[in-house]
């Protein structure tokens, strides 16, 4: 703008339009709106969500009906970018056609490089997709479980959200835990049924056949090296369960090498001197 015209504009136009509009008139570049940031893809938006947000997005009852996802977030986070195989027993939807698979989709987007596998009594093959595979069969059938292991490979995370009946929970754990990868995690959901006789549990807290009786035995087994019974032979779980995390209606078991050693004999000298 030439000087005479600029002086005229400053004197007569600037007072009329105000400082903000005047600044835009002086600098044409400032008249252009800032470019909108590129829209994120659905995959990018899901990748930025934590597990509770993903549970809400896919409408799985692991958040809302239950409060599992914060616990899973804490324990599963180290595996989020690893190439692992995850098995969830129970796909949801029962026998209703086209229903179920919400949590499998949640796991797929939480574990970015995982192969997610589901097992259900009903045919849930409609859930199959990239990185999601379903199997049909009973969680207490060793043949079905072995077929999954043969076709999928080592399992790093197992989640039992199946029938929740103690006999089925115990049967699945007995077969699968020895075949879980070292350093892996085994989760058992909805353990409240352990206390309900109507759902295969017992109102006797000392009943040895329930899911929680299994969990309590695992806690004792963590400390098998401290048992004073010299004839005791450690079980597989004694040797390989390194932690048991118990939450409301949820248990997460860590697998590893449970051989730390003990000072039992040094501390209890009199007991062992007598022997």
């Amino acid at each position: 703008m030439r000087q005479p015209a600029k002086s005229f504009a400053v004197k007569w136009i600037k007072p009329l339009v105000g400082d903000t509009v005047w600044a835009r008139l002086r600098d044409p570049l400032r008249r252009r709106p800032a470019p909108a940031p590129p829209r994120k893809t659905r995959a990018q938006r899901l990748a930025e969500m934590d597990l509770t947000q993903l549970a809400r997005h896919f409408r799985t009852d692991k958040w809302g009906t239950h409060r599992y996802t914060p616990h899973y977030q804490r324990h599963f986070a180290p595996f989020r970018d690893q190439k692992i195989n995850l098995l969830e027993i129970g796909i949801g939807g029962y026998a209703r056609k086209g229903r179920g698979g919400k949590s499998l989709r949640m796991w797929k987007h939480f574990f970015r490089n995982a192969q997610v596998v589901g097992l259900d009594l009903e045919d849930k093959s409609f859930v199959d997709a990239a990185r999601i595979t379903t199997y049909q069969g009973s969680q207490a059938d060793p043949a079905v479980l072995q077929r999954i292991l043969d076709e999928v490979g080592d399992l790093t995370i197992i989640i039992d959200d199946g029938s929740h009946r103690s006999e089925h929970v115990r049967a699945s754990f007995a077969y699968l835990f020895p075949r879980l990868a070292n350093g892996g995690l085994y989760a058992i959901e909805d353990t409240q049924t352990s206390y309900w006789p109507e759902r295969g549990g017992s109102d006797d807290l000392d009943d040895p056949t329930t899911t929680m009786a299994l969990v309590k035995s695992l806690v004792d087994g963590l400390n098998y090296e401290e048992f004073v019974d010299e004839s005791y032979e450690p079980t597989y779980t004694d040797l390989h369960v390194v932690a048991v995390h118990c939450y409301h209606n949820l248990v997460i078991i860590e697998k590893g090498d449970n051989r730390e050693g003990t000072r039992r004999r040094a501390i209890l000298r009199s007991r062992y001197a007598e022997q």
Side-chain angles (χ1 to χ4, degrees):
M1 185 182 294
R2 294 180 179 178
Q3 189 62 35
K6 182 177 180 182
S7 300
F8 176 84
V10 170
K11 182 177 180 179
W12 298 104
I13 299 177
K14 182 178 179 182
L16 295 176
V17 300
D19 292 339
T20 302
V21 175
W22 176 252
R24 291 178 181 172
L25 290 171
R26 290 188 61 195
D27 185 357
L29 293 177
R30 294 184 61 179
R31 299 180 210 168
R32 301 177 186 174
R39 293 187 64 181
K40 294 180 180 178
T41 65
R42 178 176 180 271
Q44 288 173 326
R45 294 195 304 273
L46 292 174
E48 293 174 354
M49 293 182 184
D50 65 22
L51 195 53
T52 298
Q53 291 169 326
L54 286 169
R56 287 174 176 151
H57 178 85
F58 289 105
R59 299 182 180 181
T60 169
D61 67 359
K62 295 189 192 304
W63 175 258
T65 302
H66 304 291
R67 295 290 189 271
Y68 297 157
T69 51
H71 306 309
Y72 281 143
Q73 177 82 36
R74 184 180 311 116
H75 292 284
F76 291 175
F79 299 95
R80 187 162 192 182
D81 292 312
Q82 293 187 22
K83 190 174 181 179
I84 64 169
N85 295 319
L86 177 150
L87 167 65
E88 180 163 26
I89 299 169
I91 298 175
Y94 301 98
R96 291 171 289 186
K97 187 175 181 180
R99 299 289 295 273
K102 295 176 179 178
S103 60
L104 296 185
R105 298 182 184 106
M106 176 189 71
W107 297 129
K108 171 183 173 177
H109 287 280
F110 182 76
F111 295 103
R112 302 180 180 100
N113 297 301
Q115 179 64 38
V116 177
V117 180
L119 171 64
D120 201 278
L121 277 173
E122 306 295 334
D123 178 8
K124 301 291 180 179
S125 57
F126 69 92
V127 181
D128 289 6
R131 296 198 295 112
I132 297 179
T133 305
T134 61
Y135 288 81
Q136 183 176 8
S138 168
Q139 71 176 97
D141 184 349
V144 173
L145 300 179
Q146 188 58 51
R147 179 188 166 203
I148 293 173
L149 292 166
D150 290 342
E151 295 181 2
V152 175
D154 290 342
L155 300 173
T156 301
I157 294 177
I158 299 173
I159 301 159
D160 186 346
D161 188 18
S163 74
H164 310 308
R165 298 188 67 85
S166 291
E167 66 268 28
H168 297 158
V169 172
R170 294 176 68 105
S172 298
F173 183 82
Y175 194 85
L176 290 174
F177 185 77
R179 295 160 176 83
L180 180 68
N182 194 43
L185 299 171
Y186 195 111
I188 303 173
E189 294 187 0
D190 293 354
T191 53
Q192 69 272 20
T193 58
S194 181
Y195 306 104
W196 299 346
E198 295 84 353
R199 297 296 178 89
S202 174
D203 54 6
D204 177 5
L205 299 184
D206 295 320
D207 187 327
T209 66
T210 66
T211 298
M212 287 309 298
L214 167 65
V215 174
K216 293 170 186 176
S217 72
L218 297 180
V219 174
D220 280 333
L222 283 169
N223 300 300
Y224 76 92
E225 290 178 312
E226 313 306 336
F227 296 173
V228 295
D229 180 1
E230 290 289 284
S231 65
Y232 180 80
E233 291 292 332
T235 65
Y236 183 88
T237 54
D238 291 343
L239 295 169
H240 294 94
V241 171
V242 296
V244 180
H245 305 272
C246 295
Y247 305 98
H248 184 217
N249 298 339
L250 173 67
V251 176
I252 300 176
I253 301 152
E254 295 184 39
K255 184 174 182 180
D257 184 359
N258 187 34
R259 291 176 292 186
E260 294 186 7
T262 176
R263 297 184 63 245
R264 168 171 48 91
R265 285 179 166 274
I267 294 171
L268 304 178
R269 292 189 187 92
S270 59
R271 166 184 286 275
Y272 295 102
E274 293 171 3
Q275 293 179 3

